[in-house]
Amino acid sequence: MERPIKKDPIFLSQKSERATAADLDIARDLLDTLKAHREGCVGMAANMIGVAKSIIVFDNDGEYMTMFNPEIVKSSQPYEAEEGCLSLTGTRKAKRYRSIKVRYQNEAMQERLKTFTGWTAQIIQHEIDHCSGILI
């Protein structure tokens, strides 16, 4: 079910709680909301729909991917990016890395480790920042 986009910077600045298997419906709603905004959005975190849980969804080279409790365990090749966000107006500069290794859980709550590069890595970093209460 598509949910409204949360734009309250005070709420968005709060660190998200760890997600559990009980949060699968939130992940589905988050994915539905991302799909509804696919023309102008490539990734979302659960706090963007008003739920302070560590869940992100994003476009991974044309295929949607969901991560529970993602954390970057390795990063390399820093650069400065300019990003926008559905929850905020305008664009802002952000430090990003061209390559990241992420530890996360999939929808079956199984731990995974995967390396991402380029545009997909940038999207993931933006969404993990949301989970940490970091706004661009």
Side-chain angles (χ1 to χ4, degrees), residues 1 3 21-32 49 68:
M1 169 180 77
R3 294 199 192 183
D23 298 317
L24 289 172
D25 286 342
I26 295 165
R28 284 188 206 97
D29 288 353
L30 186 59
L31 188 55
D32 288 346
I49 60 169
F68 293 83

Side-chain angles (χ1 to χ4, degrees), residues 4-64:
I5 303 298
K6 188 87 165 169
K7 297 182 183 268
D8 176 10
I10 294 170
F11 176 80
L12 294 169
S13 295
Q14 297 174 31
K15 188 172 166 68
S16 296
E17 297 175 16
R18 284 190 63 80
T20 67
D23 298 317
L24 289 172
D25 286 342
I26 295 165
R28 284 188 206 97
D29 288 353
L30 186 59
L31 188 55
D32 288 346
T33 306
L34 175 59
K35 288 176 180 177
H37 291 274
R38 68 179 154 261
E39 294 301 318
C41 186
V42 290
M44 295 185 77
N47 64 354
M48 294 176 68
I49 60 169
V51 181
K53 290 288 187 159
S54 186
I55 306 168
I56 68 171
V57 295
F58 57 94
D59 181 339
N60 181 24
D61 291 326
E63 189 173 313
Y64 290 111

Side-chain angles (χ1 to χ4, degrees), residues 61-78:
D61 291 326
E63 189 173 313
Y64 290 111
M65 187 167 183
T66 301
M67 290 182 174
F68 293 83
N69 307 309
E71 64 176 303
I72 297 169
V73 296
K74 186 176 180 183
S75 58
S76 63
Q77 302 172 343

Side-chain angles (χ1 to χ4, degrees), residues 42 72 74-84 92-100 116-127 129 136:
V42 290
I72 297 169
K74 186 176 180 183
S75 58
S76 63
Q77 302 172 343
Y79 67 100
E80 185 174 85
E82 188 160 328
E83 300 176 348
R92 292 163 182 81
K93 294 188 184 309
K95 182 179 181 181
R96 298 295 181 218
Y97 296 88
R98 295 192 198 288
S99 178
I100 58 171
F116 296 89
T117 60
W119 177 236
T120 303
Q122 183 177 336
I123 297 166
I124 293 168
Q125 290 168 82
H126 179 102
E127 303 315 331
D129 278 358
I136 58 166

